[in-house]
Amino acid sequence: MVLDILSWIFLVAGGLLGIIGGIGIHRFPDFFTRLHAAGTTDTLCAALILIGLGLQSGLTLASFKLVLIFAFILFTSPTASHALANAALHGGLEPLLDDAEEEAGS
Amino acid sequence: MMYTAAALAILITMGLALARALLGPTVYDRILSVNMFGTKTVLLIAVFAFLSGQTDILDIALVYALINFIGVVAVLKLIEQGNFFTSGEKDEREVESE
Amino acid sequence: MTHIISLTITLFLLWLGLSGHFEPLLILIGVASTLLVVFLATRMEVIDHESHPIHLTVRLLSFWGYLAREIVLANIDVIKRILTPGKSISPQMITLPLPQKSDLGRVIYANAITLTPGTVSVQLDRDTITVHALAKETADALATGEMARKVPDDGTAAG
């Protein structure tokens, strides 16, 4: 019963994080900032959902597979992000940068 | 019940990612969205495995996580070079010698 | 040699975990396939301290603990910025020195930067790394070099 409640919390929190990340890639102004929003959903959202599922399966082979899925996502996600950012920079995409006006404003 | 809620949340995220992929504006935005869509697909398959009670389906999620990554890198390579067959460094040397 | 033994054990445990079969015949087949993969890897000469860094295991584990905390904190920060109405971001492009001596240390550092939301490593050169940060604060936090010091680095010269 306690596990069920914990699972609920983890799954809902993970789902919400995913949606927030989805909003993020629409809200942020350019490609490089959207990359950060997508990174959010890749790490913590996946972790929370997989932990939530792992609590339901207990110590079984299913949990082992969940850990493996998480490890794969954790290893491949930064590589893909880096490759994307690098390709975008070499492809001539100028990142939208913030200069002195923000410092004066904040 | 909780699996349904998680699956719905993931589906909404996938919808948002798909919208970004359709809107663009640059090709990199689209690849980013497709990458995110793929990661969410992995999670959706994992949730579906528990929803249907057949945890064997997790194997599919595992394979999808790998294929998604390779697919994204392959598409990036295609866009940067125009084809799959040459290495990036060789291209640069060819450009310099021309 | 220790690398080969450790790789064999890791691969076999992976096979066991993924297959879920514990009958003698199938385990024998699993052992055979494991040995075949190790044999191929040995022939390809891809087993070395870089592809299978067992000498870093302890430091890697403690680094992952630190990284997990950083990721959660950075996630909360990025989520706040997404949900804050108006202009909440101040994108920065900064270049940082790479203190790691080995290629492996550099890759771990670059991956750790990218894995932490709010910072993405864009370009990796010999001695410097170019990072795109979502906000000035995250860029400043990274520039203090706290994460760079915690990255496990085996200290051998880069190959």
Side-chain angles (χ1 to χ4, degrees), chain C residues 69-107:
Chain C
R69 204 178 62 94
E70 287 293 304
I71 287 174
V72 172
L73 291 178
N75 261 301
I76 294 169
D77 183 61
V78 172
I79 290 162
K80 269 191 205 145
R81 286 180 199 283
I82 291 175
L83 294 181
T84 312
K87 195 172 188 300
S88 56
I89 54 171
S90 47
Q92 307 275 322
M93 201 75 138
I94 54 171
T95 304
L96 295 173
L98 266 179
Q100 285 76 30
K101 289 188 198 69
S102 63
D103 282 348
L104 185 65
R106 287 185 187 131
V107 170

PDB file of all heavy atoms in Angstrom, chain C residues 69-107:
ATOM      1  N   ARG C  69      22.925  14.245  -7.434  1.00  0.00           N
ATOM      2  CA  ARG C  69      22.450  15.392  -6.669  1.00  0.00           C
ATOM      3  C   ARG C  69      22.429  16.647  -7.556  1.00  0.00           C
ATOM      4  O   ARG C  69      21.450  17.396  -7.580  1.00  0.00           O
ATOM      5  CB  ARG C  69      23.371  15.614  -5.466  1.00  0.00           C
ATOM      6  CG  ARG C  69      22.738  16.341  -4.310  1.00  0.00           C
ATOM      7  CD  ARG C  69      23.737  16.452  -3.183  1.00  0.00           C
ATOM      8  NE  ARG C  69      24.900  17.237  -3.586  1.00  0.00           N
ATOM      9  CZ  ARG C  69      25.014  18.553  -3.356  1.00  0.00           C
ATOM     10  NH1 ARG C  69      24.086  19.181  -2.720  1.00  0.00           N
ATOM     11  NH2 ARG C  69      26.075  19.209  -3.769  1.00  0.00           N
ATOM     12  N   GLU C  70      23.507  16.835  -8.316  1.00  0.00           N
ATOM     13  CA  GLU C  70      23.596  18.006  -9.200  1.00  0.00           C
ATOM     14  C   GLU C  70      22.471  18.002 -10.229  1.00  0.00           C
ATOM     15  O   GLU C  70      21.881  19.032 -10.519  1.00  0.00           O
ATOM     16  CB  GLU C  70      24.952  17.999  -9.926  1.00  0.00           C
ATOM     17  CG  GLU C  70      26.115  18.346  -9.051  1.00  0.00           C
ATOM     18  CD  GLU C  70      26.057  19.788  -8.578  1.00  0.00           C
ATOM     19  OE1 GLU C  70      25.978  20.676  -9.430  1.00  0.00           O
ATOM     20  OE2 GLU C  70      26.077  20.008  -7.355  1.00  0.00           O
ATOM     21  N   ILE C  71      22.195  16.785 -10.789  1.00  0.00           N
ATOM     22  CA  ILE C  71      21.171  16.692 -11.830  1.00  0.00           C
ATOM     23  C   ILE C  71      19.815  17.082 -11.263  1.00  0.00           C
ATOM     24  O   ILE C  71      19.061  17.834 -11.876  1.00  0.00           O
ATOM     25  CB  ILE C  71      21.141  15.269 -12.425  1.00  0.00           C
ATOM     26  CG1 ILE C  71      22.360  15.045 -13.315  1.00  0.00           C
ATOM     27  CG2 ILE C  71      19.875  15.049 -13.232  1.00  0.00           C
ATOM     28  CD1 ILE C  71      22.496  13.637 -13.827  1.00  0.00           C
ATOM     29  N   VAL C  72      19.508  16.580 -10.056  1.00  0.00           N
ATOM     30  CA  VAL C  72      18.206  16.900  -9.466  1.00  0.00           C
ATOM     31  C   VAL C  72      18.096  18.408  -9.222  1.00  0.00           C
ATOM     32  O   VAL C  72      17.096  19.047  -9.580  1.00  0.00           O
ATOM     33  CB  VAL C  72      18.011  16.111  -8.153  1.00  0.00           C
ATOM     34  CG1 VAL C  72      16.761  16.592  -7.437  1.00  0.00           C
ATOM     35  CG2 VAL C  72      17.912  14.625  -8.441  1.00  0.00           C
ATOM     36  N   LEU C  73      19.153  19.002  -8.635  1.00  0.00           N
ATOM     37  CA  LEU C  73      19.116  20.436  -8.362  1.00  0.00           C
ATOM     38  C   LEU C  73      18.980  21.242  -9.650  1.00  0.00           C
ATOM     39  O   LEU C  73      18.174  22.171  -9.750  1.00  0.00           O
ATOM     40  CB  LEU C  73      20.394  20.858  -7.610  1.00  0.00           C
ATOM     41  CG  LEU C  73      20.505  20.340  -6.180  1.00  0.00           C
ATOM     42  CD1 LEU C  73      21.823  20.778  -5.560  1.00  0.00           C
ATOM     43  CD2 LEU C  73      19.343  20.851  -5.349  1.00  0.00           C
ATOM     44  N   ALA C  74      19.775  20.857 -10.693  1.00  0.00           N
ATOM     45  CA  ALA C  74      19.734  21.589 -11.957  1.00  0.00           C
ATOM     46  C   ALA C  74      18.369  21.434 -12.622  1.00  0.00           C
ATOM     47  O   ALA C  74      17.849  22.385 -13.217  1.00  0.00           O
ATOM     48  CB  ALA C  74      20.835  21.086 -12.882  1.00  0.00           C
ATOM     49  N   ASN C  75      17.768  20.241 -12.497  1.00  0.00           N
ATOM     50  CA  ASN C  75      16.442  20.021 -13.053  1.00  0.00           C
ATOM     51  C   ASN C  75      15.427  20.974 -12.444  1.00  0.00           C
ATOM     52  O   ASN C  75      14.633  21.598 -13.155  1.00  0.00           O
ATOM     53  CB  ASN C  75      16.004  18.587 -12.790  1.00  0.00           C
ATOM     54  CG  ASN C  75      16.227  17.702 -13.979  1.00  0.00           C
ATOM     55  OD1 ASN C  75      15.693  17.966 -15.041  1.00  0.00           O
ATOM     56  ND2 ASN C  75      17.040  16.695 -13.830  1.00  0.00           N
ATOM     57  N   ILE C  76      15.459  21.072 -11.104  1.00  0.00           N
ATOM     58  CA  ILE C  76      14.516  21.958 -10.424  1.00  0.00           C
ATOM     59  C   ILE C  76      14.704  23.393 -10.918  1.00  0.00           C
ATOM     60  O   ILE C  76      13.735  24.120 -11.174  1.00  0.00           O
ATOM     61  CB  ILE C  76      14.709  21.849  -8.895  1.00  0.00           C
ATOM     62  CG1 ILE C  76      14.325  20.443  -8.439  1.00  0.00           C
ATOM     63  CG2 ILE C  76      13.894  22.894  -8.172  1.00  0.00           C
ATOM     64  CD1 ILE C  76      14.712  20.132  -7.019  1.00  0.00           C
ATOM     65  N   ASP C  77      15.978  23.784 -11.104  1.00  0.00           N
ATOM     66  CA  ASP C  77      16.274  25.128 -11.583  1.00  0.00           C
ATOM     67  C   ASP C  77      15.686  25.366 -12.975  1.00  0.00           C
ATOM     68  O   ASP C  77      15.022  26.382 -13.220  1.00  0.00           O
ATOM     69  CB  ASP C  77      17.793  25.328 -11.594  1.00  0.00           C
ATOM     70  CG  ASP C  77      18.165  26.729 -12.021  1.00  0.00           C
ATOM     71  OD1 ASP C  77      17.761  27.664 -11.311  1.00  0.00           O
ATOM     72  OD2 ASP C  77      18.841  26.883 -13.054  1.00  0.00           O
ATOM     73  N   VAL C  78      15.911  24.397 -13.890  1.00  0.00           N
ATOM     74  CA  VAL C  78      15.415  24.562 -15.256  1.00  0.00           C
ATOM     75  C   VAL C  78      13.883  24.577 -15.269  1.00  0.00           C
ATOM     76  O   VAL C  78      13.262  25.367 -15.981  1.00  0.00           O
ATOM     77  CB  VAL C  78      15.965  23.443 -16.167  1.00  0.00           C
ATOM     78  CG1 VAL C  78      15.308  23.503 -17.530  1.00  0.00           C
ATOM     79  CG2 VAL C  78      17.462  23.562 -16.312  1.00  0.00           C
ATOM     80  N   ILE C  79      13.266  23.711 -14.453  1.00  0.00           N
ATOM     81  CA  ILE C  79      11.802  23.675 -14.396  1.00  0.00           C
ATOM     82  C   ILE C  79      11.259  25.026 -13.946  1.00  0.00           C
ATOM     83  O   ILE C  79      10.285  25.552 -14.505  1.00  0.00           O
ATOM     84  CB  ILE C  79      11.339  22.549 -13.451  1.00  0.00           C
ATOM     85  CG1 ILE C  79      11.634  21.188 -14.081  1.00  0.00           C
ATOM     86  CG2 ILE C  79       9.859  22.661 -13.157  1.00  0.00           C
ATOM     87  CD1 ILE C  79      11.630  20.068 -13.094  1.00  0.00           C
ATOM     88  N   LYS C  80      11.919  25.606 -12.938  1.00  0.00           N
ATOM     89  CA  LYS C  80      11.497  26.933 -12.473  1.00  0.00           C
ATOM     90  C   LYS C  80      11.571  27.934 -13.613  1.00  0.00           C
ATOM     91  O   LYS C  80      10.678  28.758 -13.795  1.00  0.00           O
ATOM     92  CB  LYS C  80      12.415  27.388 -11.334  1.00  0.00           C
ATOM     93  CG  LYS C  80      11.915  26.986  -9.957  1.00  0.00           C
ATOM     94  CD  LYS C  80      12.745  27.711  -8.898  1.00  0.00           C
ATOM     95  CE  LYS C  80      12.737  26.949  -7.601  1.00  0.00           C
ATOM     96  NZ  LYS C  80      14.026  27.075  -6.903  1.00  0.00           N
ATOM     97  N   ARG C  81      12.646  27.863 -14.393  1.00  0.00           N
ATOM     98  CA  ARG C  81      12.811  28.832 -15.489  1.00  0.00           C
ATOM     99  C   ARG C  81      11.765  28.628 -16.566  1.00  0.00           C
ATOM    100  O   ARG C  81      11.309  29.582 -17.186  1.00  0.00           O
ATOM    101  CB  ARG C  81      14.218  28.712 -16.080  1.00  0.00           C
ATOM    102  CG  ARG C  81      15.262  29.307 -15.172  1.00  0.00           C
ATOM    103  CD  ARG C  81      16.650  29.201 -15.747  1.00  0.00           C
ATOM    104  NE  ARG C  81      17.629  29.370 -14.686  1.00  0.00           N
ATOM    105  CZ  ARG C  81      17.941  30.551 -14.162  1.00  0.00           C
ATOM    106  NH1 ARG C  81      17.375  31.640 -14.634  1.00  0.00           N
ATOM    107  NH2 ARG C  81      18.818  30.633 -13.191  1.00  0.00           N
ATOM    108  N   ILE C  82      11.397  27.354 -16.804  1.00  0.00           N
ATOM    109  CA  ILE C  82      10.368  27.100 -17.814  1.00  0.00           C
ATOM    110  C   ILE C  82       9.024  27.669 -17.353  1.00  0.00           C
ATOM    111  O   ILE C  82       8.282  28.269 -18.125  1.00  0.00           O
ATOM    112  CB  ILE C  82      10.237  25.581 -18.085  1.00  0.00           C
ATOM    113  CG1 ILE C  82      11.480  25.051 -18.795  1.00  0.00           C
ATOM    114  CG2 ILE C  82       9.002  25.294 -18.931  1.00  0.00           C
ATOM    115  CD1 ILE C  82      11.476  23.554 -18.983  1.00  0.00           C
ATOM    116  N   LEU C  83       8.729  27.499 -16.060  1.00  0.00           N
ATOM    117  CA  LEU C  83       7.412  27.887 -15.568  1.00  0.00           C
ATOM    118  C   LEU C  83       7.335  29.359 -15.179  1.00  0.00           C
ATOM    119  O   LEU C  83       6.244  29.875 -14.960  1.00  0.00           O
ATOM    120  CB  LEU C  83       7.028  27.013 -14.368  1.00  0.00           C
ATOM    121  CG  LEU C  83       6.827  25.537 -14.718  1.00  0.00           C
ATOM    122  CD1 LEU C  83       6.435  24.744 -13.494  1.00  0.00           C
ATOM    123  CD2 LEU C  83       5.768  25.378 -15.806  1.00  0.00           C
ATOM    124  N   THR C  84       8.486  30.048 -15.069  1.00  0.00           N
ATOM    125  CA  THR C  84       8.442  31.474 -14.748  1.00  0.00           C
ATOM    126  C   THR C  84       7.966  32.248 -15.966  1.00  0.00           C
ATOM    127  O   THR C  84       8.543  32.130 -17.036  1.00  0.00           O
ATOM    128  CB  THR C  84       9.842  31.982 -14.356  1.00  0.00           C
ATOM    129  OG1 THR C  84      10.398  31.088 -13.416  1.00  0.00           O
ATOM    130  CG2 THR C  84       9.774  33.374 -13.774  1.00  0.00           C
ATOM    131  N   PRO C  85       6.889  33.020 -15.809  1.00  0.00           N
ATOM    132  CA  PRO C  85       6.438  33.807 -16.959  1.00  0.00           C
ATOM    133  C   PRO C  85       7.425  34.936 -17.264  1.00  0.00           C
ATOM    134  O   PRO C  85       8.175  35.366 -16.399  1.00  0.00           O
ATOM    135  CB  PRO C  85       5.078  34.346 -16.506  1.00  0.00           C
ATOM    136  CG  PRO C  85       5.088  34.251 -15.031  1.00  0.00           C
ATOM    137  CD  PRO C  85       6.042  33.182 -14.637  1.00  0.00           C
ATOM    138  N   GLY C  86       7.418  35.379 -18.503  1.00  0.00           N
ATOM    139  CA  GLY C  86       8.317  36.451 -18.901  1.00  0.00           C
ATOM    140  C   GLY C  86       9.694  35.931 -19.220  1.00  0.00           C
ATOM    141  O   GLY C  86       9.885  34.739 -19.456  1.00  0.00           O
ATOM    142  N   LYS C  87      10.670  36.832 -19.186  1.00  0.00           N
ATOM    143  CA  LYS C  87      12.022  36.448 -19.584  1.00  0.00           C
ATOM    144  C   LYS C  87      12.765  35.869 -18.382  1.00  0.00           C
ATOM    145  O   LYS C  87      13.090  36.573 -17.439  1.00  0.00           O
ATOM    146  CB  LYS C  87      12.766  37.676 -20.104  1.00  0.00           C
ATOM    147  CG  LYS C  87      14.018  37.328 -20.870  1.00  0.00           C
ATOM    148  CD  LYS C  87      14.590  38.587 -21.509  1.00  0.00           C
ATOM    149  CE  LYS C  87      15.744  38.262 -22.439  1.00  0.00           C
ATOM    150  NZ  LYS C  87      16.838  37.599 -21.764  1.00  0.00           N
ATOM    151  N   SER C  88      12.970  34.557 -18.397  1.00  0.00           N
ATOM    152  CA  SER C  88      13.586  33.911 -17.244  1.00  0.00           C
ATOM    153  C   SER C  88      14.972  33.369 -17.564  1.00  0.00           C
ATOM    154  O   SER C  88      15.649  32.845 -16.699  1.00  0.00           O
ATOM    155  CB  SER C  88      12.702  32.771 -16.755  1.00  0.00           C
ATOM    156  OG  SER C  88      12.467  31.874 -17.810  1.00  0.00           O
ATOM    157  N   ILE C  89      15.379  33.478 -18.832  1.00  0.00           N
ATOM    158  CA  ILE C  89      16.665  32.868 -19.189  1.00  0.00           C
ATOM    159  C   ILE C  89      17.624  33.930 -19.710  1.00  0.00           C
ATOM    160  O   ILE C  89      17.216  34.987 -20.189  1.00  0.00           O
ATOM    161  CB  ILE C  89      16.480  31.778 -20.258  1.00  0.00           C
ATOM    162  CG1 ILE C  89      15.726  32.330 -21.462  1.00  0.00           C
ATOM    163  CG2 ILE C  89      15.760  30.588 -19.690  1.00  0.00           C
ATOM    164  CD1 ILE C  89      15.685  31.401 -22.635  1.00  0.00           C
ATOM    165  N   SER C  90      18.898  33.647 -19.578  1.00  0.00           N
ATOM    166  CA  SER C  90      19.938  34.517 -20.127  1.00  0.00           C
ATOM    167  C   SER C  90      21.033  33.637 -20.708  1.00  0.00           C
ATOM    168  O   SER C  90      22.025  33.348 -20.058  1.00  0.00           O
ATOM    169  CB  SER C  90      20.501  35.438 -19.043  1.00  0.00           C
ATOM    170  OG  SER C  90      20.794  34.672 -17.881  1.00  0.00           O
ATOM    171  N   PRO C  91      20.828  33.151 -21.933  1.00  0.00           N
ATOM    172  CA  PRO C  91      21.750  32.168 -22.511  1.00  0.00           C
ATOM    173  C   PRO C  91      23.180  32.701 -22.606  1.00  0.00           C
ATOM    174  O   PRO C  91      23.397  33.861 -22.926  1.00  0.00           O
ATOM    175  CB  PRO C  91      21.179  31.937 -23.913  1.00  0.00           C
ATOM    176  CG  PRO C  91      19.795  32.411 -23.858  1.00  0.00           C
ATOM    177  CD  PRO C  91      19.735  33.489 -22.844  1.00  0.00           C
ATOM    178  N   GLN C  92      24.112  31.840 -22.297  1.00  0.00           N
ATOM    179  CA  GLN C  92      25.525  32.210 -22.305  1.00  0.00           C
ATOM    180  C   GLN C  92      26.307  31.173 -23.089  1.00  0.00           C
ATOM    181  O   GLN C  92      25.942  30.009 -23.121  1.00  0.00           O
ATOM    182  CB  GLN C  92      26.086  32.225 -20.881  1.00  0.00           C
ATOM    183  CG  GLN C  92      25.323  33.050 -19.895  1.00  0.00           C
ATOM    184  CD  GLN C  92      25.744  34.490 -19.939  1.00  0.00           C
ATOM    185  OE1 GLN C  92      26.919  34.780 -20.110  1.00  0.00           O
ATOM    186  NE2 GLN C  92      24.794  35.382 -19.809  1.00  0.00           N
ATOM    187  N   MET C  93      27.391  31.625 -23.693  1.00  0.00           N
ATOM    188  CA  MET C  93      28.320  30.697 -24.327  1.00  0.00           C
ATOM    189  C   MET C  93      29.675  30.937 -23.666  1.00  0.00           C
ATOM    190  O   MET C  93      30.248  32.015 -23.804  1.00  0.00           O
ATOM    191  CB  MET C  93      28.376  31.004 -25.819  1.00  0.00           C
ATOM    192  CG  MET C  93      28.877  29.890 -26.661  1.00  0.00           C
ATOM    193  SD  MET C  93      27.689  28.604 -26.870  1.00  0.00           S
ATOM    194  CE  MET C  93      27.898  28.253 -28.586  1.00  0.00           C
ATOM    195  N   ILE C  94      30.163  29.965 -22.907  1.00  0.00           N
ATOM    196  CA  ILE C  94      31.430  30.191 -22.221  1.00  0.00           C
ATOM    197  C   ILE C  94      32.434  29.109 -22.602  1.00  0.00           C
ATOM    198  O   ILE C  94      32.062  27.998 -22.973  1.00  0.00           O
ATOM    199  CB  ILE C  94      31.260  30.219 -20.683  1.00  0.00           C
ATOM    200  CG1 ILE C  94      30.551  28.965 -20.196  1.00  0.00           C
ATOM    201  CG2 ILE C  94      30.523  31.463 -20.250  1.00  0.00           C
ATOM    202  CD1 ILE C  94      30.539  28.818 -18.695  1.00  0.00           C
ATOM    203  N   THR C  95      33.684  29.474 -22.518  1.00  0.00           N
ATOM    204  CA  THR C  95      34.757  28.520 -22.779  1.00  0.00           C
ATOM    205  C   THR C  95      35.508  28.271 -21.478  1.00  0.00           C
ATOM    206  O   THR C  95      35.913  29.209 -20.801  1.00  0.00           O
ATOM    207  CB  THR C  95      35.709  29.075 -23.845  1.00  0.00           C
ATOM    208  OG1 THR C  95      34.943  29.383 -25.005  1.00  0.00           O
ATOM    209  CG2 THR C  95      36.765  28.064 -24.195  1.00  0.00           C
ATOM    210  N   LEU C  96      35.637  26.987 -21.129  1.00  0.00           N
ATOM    211  CA  LEU C  96      36.282  26.621 -19.874  1.00  0.00           C
ATOM    212  C   LEU C  96      37.540  25.814 -20.169  1.00  0.00           C
ATOM    213  O   LEU C  96      37.613  25.128 -21.186  1.00  0.00           O
ATOM    214  CB  LEU C  96      35.331  25.769 -19.023  1.00  0.00           C
ATOM    215  CG  LEU C  96      34.060  26.432 -18.521  1.00  0.00           C
ATOM    216  CD1 LEU C  96      33.182  25.386 -17.866  1.00  0.00           C
ATOM    217  CD2 LEU C  96      34.395  27.529 -17.540  1.00  0.00           C
ATOM    218  N   PRO C  97      38.522  25.874 -19.271  1.00  0.00           N
ATOM    219  CA  PRO C  97      39.687  25.009 -19.442  1.00  0.00           C
ATOM    220  C   PRO C  97      39.341  23.569 -19.095  1.00  0.00           C
ATOM    221  O   PRO C  97      38.427  23.312 -18.325  1.00  0.00           O
ATOM    222  CB  PRO C  97      40.699  25.591 -18.455  1.00  0.00           C
ATOM    223  CG  PRO C  97      39.859  26.237 -17.413  1.00  0.00           C
ATOM    224  CD  PRO C  97      38.646  26.755 -18.109  1.00  0.00           C
ATOM    225  N   LEU C  98      40.049  22.632 -19.704  1.00  0.00           N
ATOM    226  CA  LEU C  98      39.853  21.208 -19.399  1.00  0.00           C
ATOM    227  C   LEU C  98      41.012  20.736 -18.550  1.00  0.00           C
ATOM    228  O   LEU C  98      42.111  20.523 -19.065  1.00  0.00           O
ATOM    229  CB  LEU C  98      39.821  20.399 -20.696  1.00  0.00           C
ATOM    230  CG  LEU C  98      38.494  20.088 -21.355  1.00  0.00           C
ATOM    231  CD1 LEU C  98      38.749  19.298 -22.613  1.00  0.00           C
ATOM    232  CD2 LEU C  98      37.594  19.315 -20.438  1.00  0.00           C
ATOM    233  N   PRO C  99      40.822  20.575 -17.263  1.00  0.00           N
ATOM    234  CA  PRO C  99      41.954  20.168 -16.415  1.00  0.00           C
ATOM    235  C   PRO C  99      42.288  18.692 -16.515  1.00  0.00           C
ATOM    236  O   PRO C  99      43.363  18.283 -16.077  1.00  0.00           O
ATOM    237  CB  PRO C  99      41.472  20.543 -15.008  1.00  0.00           C
ATOM    238  CG  PRO C  99      39.990  20.516 -15.087  1.00  0.00           C
ATOM    239  CD  PRO C  99      39.609  20.818 -16.493  1.00  0.00           C
ATOM    240  N   GLN C 100      41.390  17.874 -17.095  1.00  0.00           N
ATOM    241  CA  GLN C 100      41.638  16.433 -17.129  1.00  0.00           C
ATOM    242  C   GLN C 100      42.782  16.113 -18.086  1.00  0.00           C
ATOM    243  O   GLN C 100      42.882  16.697 -19.161  1.00  0.00           O
ATOM    244  CB  GLN C 100      40.380  15.681 -17.567  1.00  0.00           C
ATOM    245  CG  GLN C 100      39.324  15.597 -16.508  1.00  0.00           C
ATOM    246  CD  GLN C 100      38.586  16.892 -16.346  1.00  0.00           C
ATOM    247  OE1 GLN C 100      38.452  17.640 -17.293  1.00  0.00           O
ATOM    248  NE2 GLN C 100      38.126  17.172 -15.142  1.00  0.00           N
ATOM    249  N   LYS C 101      43.609  15.149 -17.678  1.00  0.00           N
ATOM    250  CA  LYS C 101      44.747  14.793 -18.520  1.00  0.00           C
ATOM    251  C   LYS C 101      44.378  13.708 -19.518  1.00  0.00           C
ATOM    252  O   LYS C 101      44.887  13.684 -20.635  1.00  0.00           O
ATOM    253  CB  LYS C 101      45.912  14.323 -17.642  1.00  0.00           C
ATOM    254  CG  LYS C 101      46.545  15.447 -16.858  1.00  0.00           C
ATOM    255  CD  LYS C 101      47.807  14.952 -16.178  1.00  0.00           C
ATOM    256  CE  LYS C 101      48.244  15.877 -15.063  1.00  0.00           C
ATOM    257  NZ  LYS C 101      47.327  15.845 -13.909  1.00  0.00           N
ATOM    258  N   SER C 102      43.507  12.785 -19.113  1.00  0.00           N
ATOM    259  CA  SER C 102      43.198  11.665 -20.003  1.00  0.00           C
ATOM    260  C   SER C 102      41.953  11.964 -20.833  1.00  0.00           C
ATOM    261  O   SER C 102      41.110  12.760 -20.457  1.00  0.00           O
ATOM    262  CB  SER C 102      42.970  10.400 -19.176  1.00  0.00           C
ATOM    263  OG  SER C 102      41.847  10.587 -18.353  1.00  0.00           O
ATOM    264  N   ASP C 103      41.877  11.302 -21.989  1.00  0.00           N
ATOM    265  CA  ASP C 103      40.691  11.442 -22.840  1.00  0.00           C
ATOM    266  C   ASP C 103      39.444  10.987 -22.097  1.00  0.00           C
ATOM    267  O   ASP C 103      38.382  11.592 -22.213  1.00  0.00           O
ATOM    268  CB  ASP C 103      40.869  10.606 -24.109  1.00  0.00           C
ATOM    269  CG  ASP C 103      41.782  11.299 -25.107  1.00  0.00           C
ATOM    270  OD1 ASP C 103      42.067  12.494 -24.896  1.00  0.00           O
ATOM    271  OD2 ASP C 103      42.202  10.656 -26.078  1.00  0.00           O
ATOM    272  N   LEU C 104      39.601   9.905 -21.335  1.00  0.00           N
ATOM    273  CA  LEU C 104      38.457   9.359 -20.607  1.00  0.00           C
ATOM    274  C   LEU C 104      37.906  10.393 -19.634  1.00  0.00           C
ATOM    275  O   LEU C 104      36.698  10.622 -19.567  1.00  0.00           O
ATOM    276  CB  LEU C 104      38.902   8.095 -19.861  1.00  0.00           C
ATOM    277  CG  LEU C 104      37.797   7.327 -19.147  1.00  0.00           C
ATOM    278  CD1 LEU C 104      36.817   6.781 -20.158  1.00  0.00           C
ATOM    279  CD2 LEU C 104      38.381   6.204 -18.324  1.00  0.00           C
ATOM    280  N   GLY C 105      38.806  11.058 -18.901  1.00  0.00           N
ATOM    281  CA  GLY C 105      38.377  12.089 -17.952  1.00  0.00           C
ATOM    282  C   GLY C 105      37.652  13.221 -18.659  1.00  0.00           C
ATOM    283  O   GLY C 105      36.640  13.719 -18.180  1.00  0.00           O
ATOM    284  N   ARG C 106      38.162  13.597 -19.840  1.00  0.00           N
ATOM    285  CA  ARG C 106      37.522  14.680 -20.599  1.00  0.00           C
ATOM    286  C   ARG C 106      36.122  14.294 -21.018  1.00  0.00           C
ATOM    287  O   ARG C 106      35.186  15.098 -20.936  1.00  0.00           O
ATOM    288  CB  ARG C 106      38.354  14.985 -21.846  1.00  0.00           C
ATOM    289  CG  ARG C 106      39.620  15.706 -21.508  1.00  0.00           C
ATOM    290  CD  ARG C 106      40.343  16.095 -22.781  1.00  0.00           C
ATOM    291  NE  ARG C 106      41.641  16.637 -22.424  1.00  0.00           N
ATOM    292  CZ  ARG C 106      42.777  16.270 -22.979  1.00  0.00           C
ATOM    293  NH1 ARG C 106      42.777  15.386 -23.945  1.00  0.00           N
ATOM    294  NH2 ARG C 106      43.904  16.792 -22.580  1.00  0.00           N
ATOM    295  N   VAL C 107      35.999  13.053 -21.506  1.00  0.00           N
ATOM    296  CA  VAL C 107      34.678  12.604 -21.971  1.00  0.00           C
ATOM    297  C   VAL C 107      33.697  12.551 -20.796  1.00  0.00           C
ATOM    298  O   VAL C 107      32.548  12.980 -20.920  1.00  0.00           O
ATOM    299  CB  VAL C 107      34.789  11.234 -22.662  1.00  0.00           C
ATOM    300  CG1 VAL C 107      33.415  10.649 -22.920  1.00  0.00           C
ATOM    301  CG2 VAL C 107      35.534  11.365 -23.968  1.00  0.00           C
TER     302      VAL C 107
END
